Amino acid sequence: MSEANQLQSPLEAPAFAESTPSVLHQLNLCNRLLERLLHNLRNEHNAESEIRDIAREVIQAVAINPDIALACIFLSQINGTYAVRHCIETAVVTVVIARAMALSAVDTLTVTAAALTMNVGMLRHHETFQNKNTPLTSEEMAIVRRHPEESVDMLRCVGIEDDDWISCVLMHHENDVGSGYPAGIASPQVTLNAKLLSLADRYCAQVSARNYRRSLPAQQALRNLIEDKAAPVDPLLVQYFQRELGDFPPGCLVRLESGEIGVVSQRLDGGEARTIHCLRDPAGGVLSPAAQRRTDDGCCIAEALSEDQAAIRFSMKQIWGPQASL
């Protein structure tokens, strides 16, 4: 990523004193803090400040190493309930795209805070819905469609009046053609920040594993969103998602055309170029240490693999070093 696209701001001051902060540790800490905060939100007397602090920590974690932050999502390394973990993962993707778009530090902080709080109005229902193995009832669907408004009501109840933050939460299920909810509004009324949050939310919902289904490959998730005629996405945002995430983001398990199996570890300048840490040779033998390959050096990715298909076990620290330690 070019220096021009990296946000430089006091908002991104290091959160930890260590010489090599761990992105994995920092995101898991954010998740724990957010879980406690959201479940007790109505009793919080300093909610806005605390949420902004967590948002700053997420922004800083991405600034330390965006590839590791993305890999935490695709390797399911953020622990906790899906409802809160999904908010952290959506915030990470939102920050990655916001940095690429060179959004201001203020806008980046606002949309990150919105990602962390977008579902607070449905939090008590989320795990119940997630564990269902039958379609939602009409009453349950009504709860889903009301949750942006209920989330906004809760945020205002605890003193949050930031118009941009509120609008992002309220509109994160709206879209350009007016087929979304809760109000069915269309562009240009739907803000760019709300559309960014919406796309990150929908993307993370597909690439993250649930109790009732496996995660979808990143390539398939992005294609699903682009081809969704019912909820078309902003072409500008699609360009940024394709450039910054692509078919094989960091953390994706892959098979190379050589037959080697490994994990995508780094995005390289120049679009789709990637570094892969290979952990199995073409015959299935373990490679120790992992062998590094580059897709811009003659190595091509043949396909993405599920965890079961890859059949490789490794820690994030083994691939990314201390910045990915627990």
Side-chain angles (χ1 to χ4, degrees):
M1 187 179 298
S2 66
E3 290 185 4
N5 284 339
Q6 300 221 8
L7 298 174
Q8 300 294 331
S9 164
L11 293 175
E12 296 183 355
F16 301 108
E18 293 90 331
S19 58
T20 309
S22 168
V23 176
L24 176 60
H25 175 78
Q26 191 157 327
L27 289 177
N28 273 286
L29 176 59
C30 288
N31 191 75
R32 291 194 297 272
L33 292 172
L34 186 65
E35 180 104 37
R36 178 197 60 78
L37 181 63
L38 294 185
H39 281 288
N40 194 47
L41 188 61
R42 290 190 183 278
N43 298 317
E44 293 291 335
H45 301 294
N46 199 23
E48 180 171 359
S49 176
E50 292 187 43
I51 294 166
R52 288 186 185 274
D53 283 347
I54 297 172
R56 290 186 182 94
E57 296 291 349
V58 173
I59 292 168
Q60 172 61 12
V62 175
I64 293 168
N65 192 315
D67 293 323
I68 296 175
L70 288 171
C72 290
I73 298 173
F74 293 97
L75 294 172
S76 301
Q77 292 298 300
I78 300 173
N79 300 313
T81 62
Y82 172 76
V84 177
R85 170 170 57 87
H86 173 67
C87 294
I88 295 288
E89 292 174 345
T90 299
V92 167
V93 170
T94 297
V95 174
V96 168
I97 303 301
R99 286 163 55 89
M101 296 173 67
L103 293 189
S104 70
V106 171
D107 277 348
T108 300
L109 181 61
T110 298
V111 74
T112 305
L116 299 178
T117 55
M118 61 185 175
N119 294 333
V120 66
M122 196 174 64
L123 196 61
R124 67 185 185 278
H125 302 289
H126 218 300
E127 292 303 317
T128 301
F129 291 176
Q130 138 112 343
N131 290 323
K132 285 195 66 168
N133 55 14
T134 57
L136 296 182
T137 66
S138 58
E139 292 82 5
E140 290 167 338
M141 279 304 304
I143 291 171
V144 171
R145 296 182 70 85
R146 284 198 310 267
H147 86 266
E149 295 168 308
E150 293 197 356
S151 296
V152 164
D153 288 344
M154 287 189 68
L155 294 176
R156 285 184 168 143
C157 181
V158 296
I160 296 169
E161 296 294 342
D162 184 313
D163 288 340
D164 291 334
W165 181 344
I166 293 295
S167 69
C168 280
V169 172
L170 186 61
M171 294 191 291
H172 78 277
H173 283 291
E174 305 285 6
N175 57 56
D176 282 343
V177 298
S179 58
Y181 60 86
I185 62 175
S187 286
Q189 291 172 281
V190 185
T191 67
L192 180 63
N193 284 348
K195 289 190 285 189
L196 168 56
L197 176 55
S198 173
L199 192 53
D201 175 25
R202 293 165 60 195
Y203 179 80
C204 288
Q206 295 198 46
V207 301
S208 185
R210 312 279 191 95
N211 291 348
Y212 57 87
R213 68 158 172 81
R214 296 178 184 275
S215 59
L216 288 182
Q219 184 179 31
Q220 182 64 51
L222 196 51
R223 184 182 302 121
N224 288 350
L225 294 174
I226 293 171
E227 296 177 355
D228 187 351
K229 304 300 185 197
V233 295
D234 188 299
L236 176 64
L237 289 174
V238 168
Q239 290 178 24
Y240 279 107
F241 270 71
Q242 289 175 321
R243 191 186 82 184
E244 295 302 312
L245 302 173
D247 290 339
F248 307 106
C252 283
L253 305 175
V254 295
R255 177 184 287 110
L256 301 184
E257 289 186 350
S258 66
E260 293 174 306
I261 291 175
V263 59
V264 177
S265 54
Q266 184 182 17
R267 300 166 300 162
L268 302 171
D269 290 338
E272 283 294 304
R274 299 288 188 266
T275 297
I276 297 99
H277 274 65
C278 293
L279 296 161
R280 288 195 182 275
D281 64 24
V286 175
L287 293 171
S288 184
Q292 292 190 45
R293 306 282 185 254
R294 291 171 58 117
T295 59
D296 61 350
D297 193 29
C299 294
C300 296
I301 297 173
E303 61 177 333
L305 301 175
S306 68
E307 185 177 346
D308 290 341
Q309 289 172 319
I312 52 178
R313 297 291 182 269
F314 59 92
S315 68
M316 287 190 64
K317 185 177 181 180
Q318 179 183 341
I319 304 298
W320 287 276
Q323 288 185 340
S325 63
L326 287 171

